[in-house]
Amino acid sequence: LRFSAQPLILPFADLSGATPTAAIMSQGATNGEVPLGPKPTKAYRNSSFLNSHDARLIRIMCELQEPQQRLEAAGVDNIVMFFGSARAKPKAQYEEAVKEAEAKSAKDPSDQVASAALQ
């Protein structure tokens, strides 16, 4: 193996248009030390990452944690949650299904499944 005394300078992730020299100086190089490269943006501050497909799980977790924090701050200890669907069928379809179930039950009163459908 061959080692070099030259400092390692990594490619810049910051595409803001700053020159490498300006970027190094903005990283706080002191005492003649050259940093290994710019510090990457923290993931929680990187909106392009947070809005990406790869961060979907993080966004889902936020949808659980943020309301929990609000409820705890409001002193809420217990909740009741109802799940339902906004995709209800038109009323006419329900009425038709009831008519079919009534006809099936009237045709064979011993059919327990047909009778149970009307309960």
Side-chain angles (χ1 to χ4, degrees):
L1 291 175
R2 188 172 166 187
F3 295 97
S4 171
Q6 297 295 323
L8 174 65
I9 299 181
L10 300 174
F12 290 94
D14 180 14
L15 301 176
S16 65
T19 63
T21 303
I24 289 172
M25 298 309 285
S26 70
Q27 295 298 319
T30 57
N31 301 329
E33 297 174 7
V34 177
L36 295 179
K39 293 181 182 176
T41 303
K42 296 287 187 184
Y44 59 85
R45 293 182 186 264
N46 185 341
S47 62
S48 63
F49 168 71
L50 289 175
N51 292 316
S52 71
H53 177 73
D54 293 330
R56 183 172 185 268
L57 181 59
I58 294 168
R59 293 191 307 272
I60 292 170
M61 290 171 53
C62 287
E63 292 298 323
L64 298 172
Q65 289 300 121
E66 191 272 340
Q68 179 181 352
Q69 179 187 19
R70 278 190 288 137
L71 292 171
E72 286 176 358
V76 176
D77 293 325
N78 299 302
I79 63 169
V80 176
M81 190 173 295
F82 293 91
F83 291 93
S85 175
R87 295 177 185 94
K89 297 176 185 177
K91 185 177 179 183
Q93 284 183 328
Y94 288 111
E95 291 171 347
E96 181 63 30
V98 169
K99 286 180 185 177
E100 289 176 12
E102 288 173 339
K104 192 173 183 180
S105 180
K107 182 179 177 183
D108 185 5
S110 64
D111 185 353
Q112 294 178 355
V113 174
S115 298
L118 293 171
Q119 303 284 325

